[in-house]
Amino acid sequence: MSSSDGHPMAGEPEAGRADRSLPERSAPKLSVPAIRDRKHGGEPLVMVTAYDAPSARVAAAAGVDIILVGDSLGMVVLGYEDTLHVTMEDMVSHTAAVARTGPPQVIVADMPWTSYHEGPAKAVTNAARLVRAGATAVKLEGGTKRLKVLQAILDAEIPVMGHLGLTPQSVHAMGGFRVQGRNRADGKMLVEDAIAIADAGCFAIVLEGIPEDLAAQITRSVPVPTIGIGAGGECDGQVLVFHDIVGLGGKRAPRFVRRYADLEGLAGEAVARWATDVRAHRFPSAEEAYH
Ligand code: KIV
């Protein structure tokens, strides 16, 4: 039984609730250094996005290695066309919601657009806000041109994950969400970027939307794990958006998404059945009322 704000009523059994128990997580907790060390062997790393308490609980219980509070939340849950509208306030609020569930996993929070583009001092302040909200590490997009900012955040003892290839915050500069690194010169630049940010101290690098053979070359060239999304199977790990995996991502999914459930269909069916029961005076029952 729930109060109108979703809390169980004091002293009441949770009558009428479906069993929400989740599978036990099987993977041990990985620290940032342990994630970096996975470059030297072990299973592929598994990272998934979470933007709120329910998705964080599911991801934690499923035993993923890393939870990413991605700025994709702008498109996935806030309804924007791109990630450029996501603010520091959004990221702090969603990071805190994930962290309050107390997952054993490392939480990586995305630094939103402009939060690290106005110089190292502002970038450190913003990265620290995300850590105070509960992040273990931050992620930022870009290669060689981010080195100063990267160094400043690392100097503040905040671990940084890099992000190269199709970097969504550059959507206008790229001319749309397009696969990157298709020609030799662009590919070479991405390899150089990856080596530069790995040498600077990134503990892992997301490779998004690049050809598989380029991702494989980058993976061979850097001493830290690469985590791919739309970058083929040769990376040291994979990341997907939670809502895409469980079928809450809307109709159109890119080809690199594999959907494992249809929660949108299931949820729609559940709400429709409840509506039918209300209209037929079958809800609430005597057991679901106070006497
Ligand atoms: O914001 C996000 O979800 C991401 C992943 C696509 C890597 O950055």
Side-chain angles (χ1 to χ4, degrees):
M1 196 71 189
S2 297
S3 66
S4 58
D5 62 357
H7 287 95
M9 303 287 255
E12 290 286 326
E14 296 189 33
R17 270 201 177 166
D19 179 8
R20 291 207 191 139
S21 59
L22 294 163
E24 285 295 307
R25 71 186 297 278
S26 52
K29 176 180 171 145
L30 288 180
S31 64
V32 164
I35 291 167
R36 190 192 296 119
D37 282 353
R38 282 284 276 274
K39 186 71 183 181
H40 310 297
E43 295 174 325
L45 287 163
V46 179
M47 180 161 84
V48 70
T49 63
Y51 315 120
D52 56 16
S55 53
R57 280 199 304 269
V58 172
V64 301
D65 297 314
I66 307 167
I67 293 178
L68 171 66
V69 188
D71 61 353
S72 53
L73 72 88
M75 290 135 97
V76 179
V77 298
L78 300 181
Y80 294 124
E81 287 281 298
D82 51 46
T83 59
L84 304 181
H85 300 83
V86 177
T87 63
M88 271 304 296
E89 284 63 38
D90 293 329
M91 290 309 304
V92 165
S93 165
H94 286 268
T95 300
V98 167
R100 279 193 291 268
T101 68
Q105 286 87 355
V106 157
I107 299 173
V108 178
D110 258 337
M111 297 199 67
W113 184 55
T114 71
S115 70
Y116 55 97
H117 302 70
E118 296 173 27
K122 192 164 173 197
V124 171
T125 303
N126 285 328
R129 282 185 71 193
L130 293 171
V131 170
R132 291 201 175 105
T136 323
V138 297
K139 174 164 80 59
L140 54 86
E141 298 181 4
T144 315
K145 64 180 155 190
R146 301 280 172 244
L147 286 179
K148 264 199 193 131
V149 154
L150 189 55
Q151 200 58 63
I153 298 173
L154 289 167
D155 284 349
E157 312 300 344
I158 300 172
V160 180
M161 181 179 278
H163 186 159
L164 296 172
L166 193 173
T167 44
Q169 293 172 11
S170 317
V171 58
H172 297 313
M174 293 182 303
F177 295 104
R178 297 168 184 283
V179 174
Q180 300 294 299
R182 279 199 192 275
N183 67 53
R184 195 181 287 266
D186 290 350
K188 184 168 172 284
M189 213 148 69
L190 280 173
V191 176
E192 285 166 7
D193 277 342
I195 292 170
I197 63 173
D199 284 352
C202 279
F203 71 96
I205 303 172
V206 168
L207 298 178
E208 178 168 358
I210 60 173
E212 185 169 42
D213 56 351
L214 176 59
Q217 188 189 349
I218 293 174
T219 299
R220 286 193 301 272
S221 306
V222 293
V224 297
T226 59
I227 302 179
I229 176 163
E234 301 290 319
C235 297
D236 299 304
Q238 296 289 326
V239 53
L240 278 182
V241 166
F242 175 89
H243 293 65
D244 289 339
I245 298 173
V246 302
L248 283 172
K251 291 269 178 290
R252 278 181 51 223
R255 65 191 278 174
F256 57 78
V257 166
R258 190 180 294 176
R259 205 176 78 175
Y260 287 84
D262 174 23
L263 291 198
E264 202 155 323
L266 282 176
E269 201 181 299
V271 175
R273 282 174 52 206
W274 173 71
T276 303
D277 282 350
V278 170
R279 290 178 184 131
H281 302 278
R282 285 195 299 266
F283 178 91
S285 65
E287 294 75 34
E288 288 159 332
Y290 293 100
H291 304 287

